[in-house]
Amino acid sequence: MSRILIVDDHIVVGEGTKAILERKGSYETTFIPDSHEVMDILKQDPAFDLVLLDLQMPGINGLELSREILNYDPDMKIVVYTGLEITDHFNLLLEAGVTGFISKTATTDQLILAIEAALDNHVYLPVTVMRKFRIIEKDRQSANGKNNDHDTRISLNAREQEIMHYVSAGLTNKEIGEKLYISQRAVEYSLTSIFSKLKVKSRTEALMKVNKHQISNKQS
């Protein structure tokens, strides 16, 4: 029987997922709502086979936590289970080393498939993610041979553009969150995604690149 650690700050969702997995699959599950407790639990009990991990959580988000877990145990299977649009974070999660992705809007059967695939060292990916990945690769191949300093294929979605607008106005992450009615953590996570897309490490570098290339929302 496989042992699964469920990490989700939404207690109702976490408890519901635990009940579903124990009813529908041959799993022994443990649920915790606090991402800060994960590393202590894994160190105390190394027998878990897989971590089912929410992406956006207070304190330590799913991306940071995935890196910590895999730094401690490179063989741990991690499936990201999120209500966010997975395609927006695909590259960051892939680089972090997660095993699979599944949306919280997925059916129970799809959730089980994602978990079973990960336990069997395979990846279960929604068609939307695969199509997005193909578009990214096609754009990358088309850009080969061009001067990267003049690459206009980099694009930001509408929310990322709003965030960069407020960054240019000098607002803090907390102030941006208040403007957009989202949490400060959500702003920080979006900035991490923006920095990755632009291949920069700071707000200043991001602003310079956006202004230089007049980067906008060009994604289909």
Side-chain angles (χ1 to χ4, degrees), residues 17-210:
T17 303
K18 173 180 169 65
I20 288 171
L21 293 182
E22 291 183 345
R23 185 174 70 251
K24 293 288 187 176
S26 300
Y27 309 116
E28 179 184 333
T29 64
T30 299
F31 163 62
I32 56 170
D34 189 347
S35 57
H36 289 99
E37 298 177 2
V38 173
M39 294 310 302
D40 287 339
I41 289 177
L42 292 178
K43 290 174 182 178
Q44 293 169 8
D45 186 353
F48 284 102
D49 300 294
L50 181 143
V51 179
L52 186 64
L53 187 62
D54 190 15
L55 189 57
Q56 188 174 8
M57 296 181 290
I60 306 175
N61 65 42
L63 179 63
E64 295 168 342
L65 188 52
S66 294
R67 289 171 176 155
E68 284 191 32
I69 293 171
L70 292 171
N71 185 55
Y72 172 72
D73 182 0
D75 296 323
M76 178 60 71
K77 307 294 189 304
I78 298 176
V79 172
V80 170
Y81 186 46
T82 178
L84 297 176
E85 175 55 54
I86 297 173
T87 55
D88 290 342
H89 310 282
F90 180 76
N91 286 340
L92 285 173
L93 292 168
L94 201 62
E95 290 168 6
V98 303
T99 316
F101 320 80
I102 189 71
S103 170
K104 287 183 178 178
T105 61
T107 66
T108 298
D109 288 342
Q110 289 170 331
L111 174 59
I112 299 292
L113 281 172
I115 290 172
E116 287 299 316
L119 291 171
D120 198 32
N121 290 316
H122 288 80
V123 179
Y124 173 89
L125 287 178
V127 171
T128 53
V129 175
M130 289 299 296
R131 286 175 178 165
K132 181 75 171 180
F133 184 64
R134 289 179 64 189
I135 291 170
I136 292 170
E137 286 300 309
K138 183 177 179 181
D139 285 348
R140 184 179 298 157
Q141 291 169 10
S142 299
N144 283 344
K146 294 185 178 180
N147 189 328
N148 289 333
D149 288 338
H150 300 283
D151 187 3
T152 58
R153 292 184 177 277
I154 298 172
S155 59
L156 304 179
N157 62 39
R159 172 51 56 83
E160 290 168 339
Q161 288 184 67
E162 286 183 296
I163 289 174
M164 288 307 300
H165 167 74
Y166 289 122
V167 167
S168 68
L171 273 65
T172 65
N173 291 349
K174 181 179 179 181
E175 290 169 335
I176 294 172
E178 291 171 352
K179 288 282 188 181
L180 298 177
Y181 302 101
I182 59 177
S183 68
Q184 180 176 334
R185 174 62 63 180
V187 174
E188 293 168 355
Y189 195 88
S190 292
L191 282 171
T192 299
S193 178
I194 291 169
F195 291 173
S196 177
K197 284 184 178 182
L198 301 180
K199 301 188 187 311
V200 299
K201 297 181 179 179
S202 69
R203 284 170 160 236
T204 301
E205 287 180 299
L207 281 173
M208 289 175 62
K209 196 158 190 177
V210 166

